[in-house]
Structure formats: structure tokens, C-alpha cells
């Protein structure tokens, strides 16, 4: 029934709720915590591991991804949303290596990911 009302941001449901806002709040609730701690010579990334669905293989849930030989990324939101950003960041790392013939900087990749809408 919700598919009739959730096609635009400004359309209200019959009971007066905006479905887009409720979807965003649900995505935040389903997300996990991600923490990064930097030391003098080390960086530690940690993520919260939530229980998986009955039909989901627990080994397939990965919240820490390797983008390049020297860059890792962790995410706190939904895996499906982050997978798109991770794939684009990996392509950008490869493209940078091919065009500049050097490893991309963390700052460069961070700005690229932040600029994706």
C-alpha cells in the first residue's frame, strides 16, 4: 500500500506521515556504529557486528573494505547503500593510478566520496 504514496518527497500518506522521512529514520536505526582510532604509527578501524537474518550468511557481512593497497574504508549505514560508494571509490582509485601513475592520497579519495550525490 505504501508504494502509492512514497514516490515523491512532498506527498503525504493518508495518516499524515511523510514516507521518505520514515524511510530515512529506519535506515539510521538499522545502521551500525563505526569507529576509527589513530595512533602514532597505527590506525585501528572497528565496526559493530549486528545479528544477521536467518537466510543471510554471516561471513558475507563486511563493514570494512579495502579500496586500494593503502586505503581502507568502513561504513556505518546500510550495506546496500555503502556498496555503491565503495565500488565508485575503487574505480576512482584505479583511474587515478592509471592516469597519474601514483597511488591516490587519502584526502583525494575522501573528497571524491564526499562529492558523490
Amino acid at each position: 500500500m505504501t508504494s502509492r504514496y512514497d514516490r515523491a518527497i512532498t506527498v503525504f500518506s493518508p495518516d499524515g506521515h511523510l514516507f521518505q522521512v520514515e524511510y530515512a529514520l529506519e535506515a539510521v536505526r538499522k545502521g551500525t556504529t563505526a569507529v576509527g582510532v589513530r595512533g602514532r604509527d597505527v590506525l585501528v578501524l572497528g565496526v559493530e557486528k549486528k545479528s544477521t537474518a536467518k537466510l543471510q550468511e554471516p561471513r558475507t557481512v563486511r563493514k570494512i573494505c579495502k579500496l586500494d593497497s593503502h586505503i581502507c574504508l568502513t561504513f556505518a549505514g546500510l550495506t546496500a547503500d555503502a556498496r555503491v560508494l565503495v565500488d565508485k571509490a575503487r574505480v576512482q582509485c584505479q583511474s587515478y593510478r592509471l592516469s597519474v601513475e601514483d597511488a591516490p592520497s587519502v584526502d583525494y579519495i575522501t573528497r571524491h566520496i564526499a562529492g558523490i550525490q
Side-chain angles (χ1 to χ4, degrees), residues 38-94:
R38 184 178 72 168
R40 190 172 296 145
D41 297 327
V42 68
L43 175 70
V44 178
L45 298 175
V47 293
E48 176 186 10
K49 186 173 183 177
K50 286 192 171 182
S51 60
T52 57
K54 290 180 182 179
L55 297 176
Q56 187 176 18
E57 179 67 34
R59 294 180 295 129
T60 63
V61 179
R62 289 192 168 56
K63 294 281 194 170
I64 299 176
C65 305
K66 186 174 181 179
L67 297 182
D68 200 38
S69 61
H70 67 293
I71 300 176
C72 289
L73 171 138
T74 184
F75 56 92
L78 298 175
T79 304
D81 295 339
R83 191 176 300 131
V84 174
L85 291 175
V86 169
D87 288 344
K88 287 183 179 184
R90 284 180 177 155
V91 168
Q92 189 62 30
C93 285
Q94 293 170 358

Side-chain angles (χ1 to χ4, degrees), residues 1-2 4 12 20 26 47 59 72-73 81 96 100 115:
M1 196 71 181
T2 61
R4 280 204 217 147
F12 290 88
Q20 294 296 332
E26 186 65 24
V47 293
R59 294 180 295 129
C72 289
L73 171 138
D81 295 339
Y96 189 91
V100 181

